[in-house]
Amino acid sequence: NKMMEGAVFLDCGTDLGSGRHVPGNPALRHGKLGSGMGLGYGLRFKAPVGHFQVDYAINSYQQKTVYFGISNLGS
């Protein structure tokens, strides 16, 4: 409906093999592979006082995260 929306997302990224060339090799230091992906879903609610959203995501390491957001307050 006009006040609630759903979202499904997929995020992919890579350092194209350049991570080892960065001074201090932060990717290796943080245990990152140099590439990965995440996927998830979320809800967006448009209220008169602002827009609220909540997303649930899982990454290549099977780490799960919930994100909350508020925007357009008072508009």
Side-chain angles (χ1 to χ4, degrees):
N1 62 35
K2 292 183 179 185
M3 292 184 69
M4 186 169 297
E5 297 177 344
V8 177
F9 53 88
L10 172 69
D11 181 28
C12 301
T14 179
D15 66 5
L16 300 173
S18 65
R20 67 184 189 284
H21 300 296
V22 176
N25 199 347
L28 179 64
R29 192 171 66 243
H30 292 284
K32 304 297 182 183
L33 300 174
S35 65
M37 63 178 263
L39 56 98
Y41 56 89
L43 291 174
R44 281 89 171 108
F45 180 71
K46 296 178 184 177
V49 295
H51 297 179
F52 304 90
Q53 73 180 56
V54 61
D55 293 329
Y56 174 80
I58 185 167
N59 67 16
S60 297
Y61 302 104
Q62 304 301 309
Q63 295 171 318
K64 300 167 183 82
T65 308
V66 176
Y67 297 94
F68 296 95
I70 302 171
S71 62
N72 296 337
L73 292 176
S75 45

